[in-house]
């Protein structure tokens, strides 16, 4: 028995035992991985197939839902703007029902004056100077007037 104990504690025996244990662990882990891999791969493929089909099936209805919600928001905004415009027009109509407001607008827009008043219109001095230069255009040939018109139109764009 002493020989057996000595053999059990020898370095060669220990290395052989460690090698066998390591080989057994590696073999067990490989078989577990292979078993897991094959079982998980089928499930993963089925899960991926189901998820893809759900995404494809729900993509169009979700897009339509989002676009309809955006359209509803736009219509609500337009409705609110129309209500505000109606309110402004009602206020304007109520103002025009007032004789004092109507008289003020008539005086301002049409330059009417009450009997006994004297009306004055102030003319822009630059506009008067331009109208005097246009009077001289009758003395020139017609093609000069046309060319001046083109030059004025070009200058107004700048």
């Amino acid at each position: 028995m002493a020989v057996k104990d000595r053999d059990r504690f020898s370095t060669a025996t220990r290395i052989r035992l460690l090698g066998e244990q390591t080989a057994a662990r590696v073999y067990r882990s490989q078989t577990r991985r292979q078993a897991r891999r094959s079982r998980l791969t089928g499930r993963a493929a089925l899960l991926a197939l189901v998820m893809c089909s759900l995404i494809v099936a729900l993509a169009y209805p979700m897009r339509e839902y989002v676009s309809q919600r955006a359209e509803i928001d736009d219509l609500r905004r337009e409705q609110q703007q129309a209500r505000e415009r109606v309110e402004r027009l009602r206020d304007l109509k109520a103002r025009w029902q007032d004789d004092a407001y109507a008289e003020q607008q008539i005086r301002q827009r049409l330059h009417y004056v009450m009997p006994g008043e004297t009306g004055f219109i102030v003319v822009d001095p630059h506009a008067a100077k331009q109208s005097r230069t246009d009077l001289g255009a009758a003395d020139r040939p017609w093609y000069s007037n046309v060319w001046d018109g083109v030059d004025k139109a070009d200058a107004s764009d700048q």
Side-chain angles (χ1 to χ4, degrees):
M1 201 160 187
V3 174
K4 211 177 203 184
D5 286 334
R6 221 178 337 145
D7 197 30
R8 190 175 92 184
F9 292 113
S10 71
T11 306
T13 307
R14 279 194 214 157
I15 290 175
R16 188 172 24 87
L17 283 174
L18 283 174
E20 289 173 0
Q21 289 173 353
T22 306
R25 281 189 213 133
V26 168
Y27 177 72
R28 274 185 282 171
S29 68
Q30 285 179 349
T31 57
R32 285 182 194 157
R33 264 191 238 137
Q34 289 172 353
R36 266 194 232 134
R37 231 186 251 150
S38 63
R39 189 175 49 194
L40 190 60
T41 304
R43 287 181 183 172
L46 182 63
L47 180 63
L49 180 65
V50 168
M51 292 299 292
C52 288
S53 57
L54 281 175
I55 289 171
V56 168
L58 294 177
Y60 182 73
M62 285 302 293
R63 186 179 65 137
E64 287 298 313
Y65 174 76
V66 170
S67 67
Q68 286 176 358
R69 294 305 301 174
E71 187 176 346
I72 288 171
D73 290 341
D74 291 340
L75 290 174
R76 284 186 179 149
R77 195 174 316 110
E78 287 178 15
Q79 183 182 24
Q80 182 63 29
Q81 290 172 353
R83 283 184 185 146
E84 291 171 0
R85 185 167 186 269
V86 166
E87 282 298 317
R88 284 194 309 262
L89 290 173
R90 282 185 183 151
D91 290 345
L92 186 61
K93 181 181 176 185
R95 272 195 248 147
W96 277 101
Q97 298 297 324
D98 184 21
D99 290 336
Y101 180 78
E103 181 181 330
Q104 175 194 9
Q105 291 299 314
I106 290 170
R107 284 173 170 253
Q108 184 180 7
R109 293 180 185 189
L110 302 176
H111 305 291
Y112 278 25
V113 291
M114 296 299 286
E117 293 179 350
T118 305
F120 294 97
I121 297 176
V122 178
V123 179
D124 184 22
H126 299 293
K129 188 184 290 183
Q130 288 176 351
S131 65
R132 277 189 237 120
T133 58
D134 290 341
L135 290 176
D139 299 336
R140 297 184 297 176
W142 65 271
Y143 50 85
S144 296
N145 294 335
V146 170
W147 191 249
D148 288 343
V150 171
D151 285 339
K152 286 180 184 176
D154 189 38
S156 67
D157 289 341
Q158 295 173 355

